[in-house]
Amino acid sequence: MIPSGLMSFPLTPFTPADEVDTHVFTDHVEDQLAHGPAALFVACGTGEYSSLSAPEYAELVRHAVRVVAGRVPVFAGAGGGLGNARAAVAAASDAGADGILLLPPYLVGGTEDGYLAYVESVAGAGRLPVLVYRRGLARIGVTTALRLLDVPQVAGIKEGEGDLDSMARTVTAVRTSGHPRAETFAFLNGLPTAEVSATACRAIGVRDYSSAVLCFAPDIARAFHTALTTGDTATTDRLLADFYLPLTALRDQVPGYAVSLVKAGARLRGLDVGHVRAPLVDAAPDHVDQLKDLLAQGRRALAETTGAGGGAAPAAAEGAGTVRTPGQGAPAAPAVVAPAVAVAP
């Protein structure tokens, strides 16, 4: 099944010796779960899937499944060359993952028919539901989206292109297709800093989204999501103006900051997630200082909006260096789960 709600995409921590740090990863996952995500997507874009070796990937997914222990669904990234993507799906299946996020192939492009064949081949490597990431070389027009309905393992599309006109036509075409899976086929907003486009996406029927901010400022991310779903525009507008839009401008200054800034934010929160792997570069010190100021500004905005009668939860208890260890966090909010998507054996 594809869950509905706010999605967490955990980081992959690395030690100074450049090994995956499963101890820090455990703390990170527990902290994420304490803020009630609908699902965890591990070893995806924010989790630096493309930099992981096959053994690292398999162990990370296996470890995530152990830590989560059934509290929410665990999806794993897969992508790249066809052979590597199929191997990742098989490894994730063996590790006990609940689903796959199919990332775009690298370098080699093709037609939509070629990409559809790629999806069919990768999805066929396992029995897990697959979300297809529409981004970069992953070409999915309206016609291809309708054809995906006939691939039993494909359970939905994650939008990462930013072409909302095309996405609106795709959602409408799928929902009105009369296909038996038309109503349960999932759509997920996966644009960078998805909160910026969340209102527009909801207007075209894409209600759920992935939040990179949840990795390093879960109080802000959760408050924004609550305000969005309850129609508290005073809070969403203030957080967009004072936090999310300036954060997007900072992110856009350096390629790869969609990951690097998130890791910097996690370190500010007190979680030693380490460096990013090349070709990504760590956030520059002055940019980290700007991020710290933005976090303070966002929390002030949230506190003032709440104090003025906004509906979002207060954020005063959160801040840098406040990562909760397992067992100390608030219980995870129950995930709202969409109807199950049937996956053929």
Side-chain angles (χ1 to χ4, degrees):
M1 65 182 66
I2 302 300
S4 179
L6 185 62
M7 310 297 179
S8 167
F9 280 63
L11 298 156
T12 298
F14 298 118
T15 69
D18 199 35
E19 297 175 344
V20 174
D21 193 329
T22 55
H23 297 293
V24 174
F25 183 69
T26 297
D27 291 342
H28 183 35
V29 167
E30 288 288 358
D31 186 52
Q32 291 292 280
L33 291 173
H35 289 85
L40 261 70
F41 287 72
V42 300
C44 295
T46 311
E48 298 181 71
Y49 166 81
S50 63
S51 77
L52 299 174
S53 68
E56 287 175 332
Y57 170 86
E59 175 54 28
L60 190 70
V61 177
R62 189 160 42 245
H63 190 75
V65 170
R66 285 196 299 262
V67 172
V68 172
R71 285 176 282 179
V72 297
V74 175
F75 281 66
L82 181 60
N84 289 338
R86 285 176 58 86
V89 169
S93 298
D94 290 344
D98 299 294
I100 296 293
L101 176 63
L102 183 55
L103 305 169
Y106 304 137
L107 188 60
V108 179
T111 64
E112 289 199 28
D113 284 346
Y115 183 65
L116 179 64
Y118 172 86
V119 172
E120 290 173 331
S121 179
V122 175
R127 299 178 58 178
L128 298 177
V130 175
L131 276 174
V132 177
Y133 202 173
R134 179 179 182 258
R135 185 173 183 176
L137 296 174
R139 303 179 184 279
I140 306 174
V142 172
T143 300
T144 301
L146 291 171
R147 293 169 70 186
L148 286 174
L149 289 168
D150 292 323
V151 183
Q153 292 93 339
V154 175
I157 295 171
K158 183 183 182 188
E159 166 59 26
E161 280 293 313
D163 185 345
L164 295 186
D165 175 75
S166 175
M167 198 59 182
R169 288 185 280 112
T170 298
V171 172
T172 300
V174 167
R175 295 290 186 240
T176 60
S177 66
H179 194 281
R181 299 205 296 137
E183 290 302 317
T184 57
F185 197 78
F187 290 96
L188 177 66
N189 173 7
L191 290 167
T193 317
E195 286 87 349
V196 173
S197 59
T199 299
C201 283
R202 285 175 70 85
I204 62 173
V206 184
R207 301 174 63 84
D208 304 315
Y209 62 88
S210 57
S211 174
V213 172
L214 193 66
C215 284
F216 66 93
D219 54 321
I220 295 176
R222 173 52 64 190
F224 183 92
H225 184 264
T226 298
L228 180 71
T229 56
T230 59
D232 177 9
T233 56
T235 296
T236 56
D237 289 352
R238 180 71 183 275
L239 286 175
L240 284 169
D242 286 10
F243 178 72
Y244 283 104
L245 291 176
L247 175 67
T248 300
L250 179 58
R251 181 204 70 206
D252 289 346
Q253 290 191 36
V254 178
Y257 264 21
V259 178
S260 303
L261 272 184
V262 179
K263 276 202 161 176
R267 290 192 297 270
L268 288 173
R269 186 170 162 74
L271 192 70
D272 188 12
V273 293
H275 58 279
V276 294
R277 280 181 170 172
L280 298 177
V281 295
D282 288 314
D286 60 322
H287 291 157
V288 175
D289 288 341
Q290 291 179 49
L291 177 60
K292 186 175 182 180
D293 291 342
L294 280 178
L295 287 165
Q297 182 171 294
R299 290 186 172 109
R300 281 196 301 272
L302 183 55
E304 291 170 6
T305 306
T306 303
E318 293 283 351
T322 61
V323 171
R324 299 183 179 96
T325 55
Q328 292 181 325
V336 179
V337 179
V341 176
V343 178

